[in-house]
């Protein structure tokens, strides 16, 4: 028996990104109904990585998507794309900051496991230390000459103010690892 | 300090092969504490002292307690199980004495329990979660930190938290998660630290010297090496040895050494809570990044892989140990066969699966 799949998208989700995801999901299966509003008998899948939604997990609501290995792989590919083949750079994974900070540390480590990045550091967009400038400073102290800033984010535009991928440390670089 | 090999045999075998009682079960199921085992004499003493501590603690609730080890030192899990069966128990609640779930908690111990269930028809068991970064464990770690660092000195101090290290990405990432949780908990319990850096004593990077180097580059002048280990052992000793060697080459750094968690009430409280979770009904393991449940880069072949018990000198997987007069001597075919247990089994990708429950 299949039940309708309902994506629960945060209000601020980019509508174009969401439409593309719905199209992609419908291509994967024609037995699952996809929507954005709660509905009776539906299985609700929140379009979030973690945080408070973890507590909402239950019979009709799936747990948050992070840190599914497929997402870790997708993050690694984003970093690879930004590096354009220069494998041994530092990656700085940036989480929103708040009640799920340790999860960012875990995902950063998962991103490092079995991959060629020189190191994977982590930082937080708000409310937690290290901030993005603090995190970049740490990378610099550790000898990084190139840093990929990688948002830990699904579709929500929470990182609109974050530096673009592939940015370099804000000041001159020293040393090497 | 190491005991001389071979270990002195201190097993106390039941006079007869126990069988599961036909009398109806009375009272709550016993707690079977399953630890790793060590060649380190103080570590052995801490384990047996901890089993005794839990015995006293749980006696107030009428709960029987036994402890067994999966390798290196007596008593093996099978002796602890035999003792519980001989005392009339039908079902046991097994709690892994593991700070991080890796091969032992995910594979060896469940397989050892499956083997025991096969040896004692009618015996059932429930299996608890590993401790992980339980708040009680974090509190115990902060107590060990406090013993070597005043609260007033925390702001200028870094901690290098040294875990076991594994080939299992999930296990290593749990150490990273624990380091962050410790950093955040320290902030609300005694004062913020300058930082907590994860490290591993083997099988994963950064090792202790590399993590100390890294922490020094971040500006550390005071570093506390804090082992993420329960009891004294060969690997905790290695942490200290490596750190001392590093200190000789970095005399400008004030390097301090914290103790292992050890036999303490906080740990006992955490184990009791895991026992209670099993009693309360299905325990869901966190399987999002478990290599036996979901394909992880480089480990796809592990999904659903059958698990086997670890080899224990007193309960070997193949052939004889010291085994003359071994009570399973009548059943060598069974004893030699690897007990298999699909840790992953069928199931949706990485969905939290319910651990074995009491029947």
């Amino acid at each position: 028996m299949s039940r309708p799949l309902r994506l629960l998208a945060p209000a601020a989700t980019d509508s174009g990104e969401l439409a593309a995801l719905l199209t992609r999901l419908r291509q994967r299966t024609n037995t699952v109904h996809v929507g954005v509003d709660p509905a009776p008998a539906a299985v609700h899948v929140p379009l979030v990585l973690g945080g408070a939604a973890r507590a909402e997990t239950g019979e009709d609501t799936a747990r948050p998507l992070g840190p599914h290995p497929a997402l870790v792989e997708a993050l690694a590919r984003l970093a690879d794309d930004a590096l354009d083949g220069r494998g041994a750079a530092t990656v700085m994974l940036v989480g929103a900051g708040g009640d799920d900070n340790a999860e960012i540390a875990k995902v950063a480590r998962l991103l490092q496991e079995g991959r060629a990045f020189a190191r994977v550091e982590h930082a937080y967009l708000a409310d937690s230390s290290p901030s993005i400038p603090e995190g970049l400073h740490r990378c610099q102290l550790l000898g990084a000459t190139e840093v990929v800033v990688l948002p830990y984010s699904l579709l929500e535009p929470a990182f609109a103010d974050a530096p673009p991928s592939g940015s370099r440390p804000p000041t001159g670089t020293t040393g090497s690892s | 300090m190491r005991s001389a090999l071979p270990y002195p045999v201190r097993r106390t075998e039941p006079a007869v092969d126990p069988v599961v009682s036909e009398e109806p079960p009375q009272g709550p199921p016993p707690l079977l504490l399953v630890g790793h085992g060590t060649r380190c004499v103080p570590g052995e003493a801490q384990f047996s002292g901890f089993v005794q501590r839990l015995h006293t603690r749980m006696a107030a609730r009428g709960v029987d307690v036994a402890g067994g080890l999966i390798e290196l030192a007596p008593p093996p899990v099978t002796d602890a199980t035999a003792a519980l069966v001989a005392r009339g128990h039908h079902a046991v609640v097994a709690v892994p004495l593991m700070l991080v779930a890796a091969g032992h908690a995910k594979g060896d111990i469940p397989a050892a329990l499956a083997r025991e269930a096969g040896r004692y028809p009618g015996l059932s068991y429930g299996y608890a979660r590993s401790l992980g970064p339980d708040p009680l464990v974090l509190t115990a770690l902060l107590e060990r930190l406090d013993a070597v660092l005043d609260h007033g000195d925390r702001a200028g101090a870094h901690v290098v938290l040294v875990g076991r290290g594994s080939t299992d990405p999930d296990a290593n990432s749990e150490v990273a998660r624990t380091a962050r949780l410790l950093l955040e908990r320290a902030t609300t319990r005694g004062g913020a630290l300058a930082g907590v850096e994860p490290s591993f004593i083997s099988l994963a990077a950064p090792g202790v010297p590399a993590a100390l180097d890294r922490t020094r580059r971040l500006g550390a002048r005071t570093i506390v090496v804090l082992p993420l280990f329960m009891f004294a052992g060969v690997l905790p000793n290695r942490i200290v040895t490596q750190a001392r060697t590093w200190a000789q080459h970095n005399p400008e750094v004030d390097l301090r050494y914290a103790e292992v968690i050890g036999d303490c009430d906080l740990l006992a409280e955490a184990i009791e809570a895991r026992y209670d979770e099993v009693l309360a009904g299905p325990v869901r393991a966190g399987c999002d990044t478990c290599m036996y449940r979901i394909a992880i880069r480089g480990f796809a072949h592990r999904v659903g892989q059958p698990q086997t018990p670890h080899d224990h000198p007193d309960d070997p997987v193949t052939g004889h140990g010291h085994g003359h007069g071994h009570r399973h001597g009548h059943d060598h075919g069974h004893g030699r066969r690897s007990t298999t247990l699909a840790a992953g089994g069928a199931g949706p990708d990485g969905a939290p699966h319910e651990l074995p429950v009491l029947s």
Side-chain angles (χ1 to χ4, degrees):
Chain A
M1 184 189 76
S2 75
R3 297 166 65 187
L5 186 161
R6 292 271 174 174
L7 288 177
L8 297 183
T13 306
D14 181 277
S15 58
E17 294 261 38
L18 185 58
L21 176 62
L22 293 179
T23 302
R24 192 180 289 269
L25 274 170
R26 289 186 177 115
Q27 284 167 351
R28 288 178 73 92
T29 172
N30 57 14
T31 62
V32 177
H33 182 74
V34 181
V36 291
D37 304 315
V43 173
H44 301 108
V45 180
L47 262 182
V48 295
L49 287 164
R54 216 170 280 286
E56 306 297 319
T57 303
E59 202 171 319
D60 298 321
T61 304
R63 65 195 187 284
L65 297 168
H68 192 286
L71 291 177
V72 176
E73 190 62 35
L75 287 168
R77 287 183 192 173
L78 287 171
D80 286 342
D81 289 348
L83 285 167
D84 198 21
R86 300 183 302 281
T90 293
V91 173
M92 189 174 83
L93 185 71
V94 181
D99 58 3
D100 222 11
N101 289 345
E103 194 74 3
I104 307 303
K106 180 181 173 83
V107 175
R109 177 71 202 192
L110 287 170
L111 201 51
Q112 180 143 41
E113 290 278 332
R115 296 190 179 84
F117 305 126
R119 57 183 74 76
V120 182
E121 300 296 319
H122 62 276
Y124 304 97
L125 185 65
D127 299 331
S128 303
S129 183
S131 64
I132 290 175
E134 288 169 344
L136 288 171
H137 184 58
R138 279 170 59 94
C139 293
Q140 195 177 18
L141 289 173
L142 293 169
T145 54
E146 186 168 27
V147 180
V148 179
V149 176
L150 188 62
Y152 187 56
S153 170
L154 278 177
L155 305 178
E156 62 268 45
F159 293 87
D161 296 332
S165 293
S167 70
R168 288 162 186 273
T171 57
T173 58
T174 55
S176 59
S177 55
Chain B
M1 189 172 163
R2 294 187 183 193
S3 60
L5 292 173
Y7 333 107
V9 175
R10 292 193 295 267
R11 308 180 67 203
T12 51
E13 298 194 15
V16 295
D17 287 358
V19 293
V20 176
S21 169
E22 293 182 3
E23 300 295 319
Q26 294 182 339
L31 163 63
L32 173 60
L33 192 64
V34 185
H36 184 276
T38 179
R39 292 191 178 96
C40 171
V41 171
E44 282 191 51
Q46 283 176 318
F47 174 75
S48 56
F50 186 63
V51 173
Q52 185 55 48
R53 180 186 298 271
L54 270 169
H55 193 85
T56 305
R57 181 186 185 92
M58 303 295 276
R61 301 171 53 180
V63 176
D64 198 357
V65 174
L69 301 168
I70 56 169
E71 59 172 307
L72 297 176
V77 174
T78 194
D79 284 15
T81 309
L84 292 173
V85 169
R87 297 205 284 263
H89 295 295
H90 296 245
V92 303
V93 174
V95 181
L97 192 56
M98 294 283 156
L99 287 169
V100 177
H104 295 316
K106 294 174 182 172
D108 301 339
I109 296 176
L113 296 170
R115 181 170 62 183
E116 293 310 307
R119 284 170 170 170
Y120 299 106
L123 179 71
S124 73
Y125 64 93
Y127 189 49
R129 292 189 298 142
S130 300
L131 291 169
D134 188 290
L136 292 162
V137 170
L138 296 175
T139 300
L141 289 170
L142 288 178
E143 282 189 1
R144 300 302 161 267
L145 178 67
D146 287 347
V148 296
L149 184 77
D150 292 338
H151 286 178
D153 294 333
R154 279 195 185 173
H158 288 71
V159 167
V160 169
L161 181 71
V162 188
R164 168 66 186 87
S166 176
T167 54
D168 182 342
D170 178 46
N172 294 338
S173 71
E174 278 297 292
V175 175
R177 192 161 79 92
T178 303
R180 178 70 200 190
L181 289 169
L182 189 69
L183 178 72
E184 299 198 345
R185 194 166 180 86
T187 303
T188 57
R189 305 268 176 128
L193 288 156
V196 180
E197 303 296 322
S199 173
F200 306 94
I201 191 57
S202 74
L203 294 175
V208 172
L212 289 169
D213 277 340
R214 172 190 158 88
T215 309
R216 186 178 51 77
R217 292 179 89 157
L218 291 172
R221 289 291 169 266
T222 300
I223 305 176
V224 178
V225 177
L226 180 62
L228 183 59
F229 279 81
M230 226 142 357
F231 299 140
V234 171
L235 295 178
N237 283 352
R238 190 181 299 168
I239 294 171
V240 174
T241 303
Q242 292 185 359
R244 283 191 174 141
T245 301
W246 185 88
Q248 286 168 5
H249 296 99
N250 296 272
E252 78 285 5
V253 175
D254 175 7
L255 192 61
R256 305 182 188 188
Y257 310 89
E259 291 279 352
V260 295
I261 292 171
D263 168 21
C264 64
D265 281 332
L266 284 168
L267 196 56
E269 192 180 335
I271 292 291
E272 183 175 0
R274 290 295 183 271
Y275 169 90
D276 285 333
E277 276 187 4
V278 175
L279 287 198
V283 175
R284 308 192 93 194
C287 304
D288 273 326
T289 53
C290 177
M291 64 160 83
Y292 302 104
R293 298 281 295 173
I294 186 165
I296 290 184
R297 181 190 178 90
F299 296 94
H301 60 290
R302 299 274 196 168
V303 175
Q305 187 182 48
Q307 299 297 301
T308 56
H310 205 285
D311 202 28
H312 190 286
D314 294 330
D315 189 15
V317 172
T318 55
H320 288 275
H322 69 270
H324 53 275
H326 194 282
R327 71 175 179 281
H328 300 296
H330 61 277
D331 193 14
H332 281 165
H334 179 90
R336 264 198 295 276
R337 193 190 70 210
S338 291
T339 303
T340 59
L341 173 101
D349 285 353
H353 76 290
E354 291 180 3
L355 298 178
V357 294
L358 296 171
S359 58

